[in-house]
Amino acid sequence: MRELINFTFTFFGAHQNYIALINNENLQRGRNLRKSRKIADLTLPLVASIENILRRGLAVGLFRSDVDPVQLYVTITAMSYFHVSNRYTLSAMFDKDLGEPDWLEKRRHHALDVIMTWLTATAAASEGKRKPPAARTPAGAAR
């Protein structure tokens, strides 16, 4: 799973033109992608590979049992893509170069940690036994 996360993170960082292509296709609401006969040939093996990794991790007690492979891949993609596709606006907002190698390496470790921590969460969380935290009311607000 770490290899998939690292690959995805590296791929998006190294293929800025691909990011532009994806952004443009989304502006067109996926019109061209839906016409492609090759998408299923590319997507189905990816999902099958993720399912296989999840099954193996679950069998040895590493991964939680309630993981949807598509949801997981969308999360991996989001954690690997957003900071690249929005690099210039985020850099301006935070007065920090989000393309700087040291920042990117910290981001990679953050993404790995977030995804792997969730993926390896306890069985209780996996089975829905953990309750979400109660909503907090700001101090001084009417209840």
Side-chain angles (χ1 to χ4, degrees):
M1 191 57 65
R2 287 180 182 278
E3 286 182 41
L4 175 62
I5 297 166
N6 276 318
F7 171 83
T8 306
F9 193 94
T10 301
F11 180 85
F12 284 123
H15 296 90
Q16 304 279 321
N17 289 335
Y18 184 70
I19 297 282
L21 184 66
I22 290 172
N23 288 342
N24 188 48
E25 184 63 14
N26 276 300
L27 287 172
Q28 296 181 39
R29 300 179 181 259
R31 178 179 28 187
N32 298 307
L33 201 58
R34 267 193 237 102
K35 295 176 187 175
S36 173
R37 294 180 183 154
K38 295 182 180 182
I39 291 302
D41 292 341
L42 297 172
T43 306
L44 294 177
L46 172 63
V47 173
S49 292
I50 294 171
E51 287 173 335
N52 184 37
I53 295 167
L54 291 171
R55 212 174 6 263
R56 291 189 337 236
L58 181 60
V60 296
L62 290 176
F63 296 159
R64 56 192 294 158
S65 64
D66 63 341
V67 180
D68 177 287
V70 174
Q71 289 282 0
L72 176 59
Y73 187 69
V74 169
T75 300
I76 292 169
T77 300
M79 297 287 291
S80 302
Y81 171 91
F82 183 81
H83 67 279
V84 178
S85 67
N86 295 280
R87 172 185 173 187
Y88 299 106
T89 53
L90 291 170
S91 292
M93 288 170 58
F94 298 114
D95 194 27
K96 181 177 224 44
D97 181 4
L98 272 61
E100 197 270 323
D102 189 53
W103 189 91
L104 288 169
E105 196 54 31
K106 288 176 184 173
R107 179 69 187 161
R108 175 193 305 273
H109 287 289
H110 176 77
L112 275 163
D113 187 41
V114 167
I115 296 165
M116 293 303 295
T117 298
W118 174 81
L119 189 58
T120 58
T122 65
S126 170
E127 295 169 8
K129 293 180 182 173
R130 185 173 62 184
K131 295 180 182 177
R136 293 187 177 154
T137 305
R143 292 184 187 232

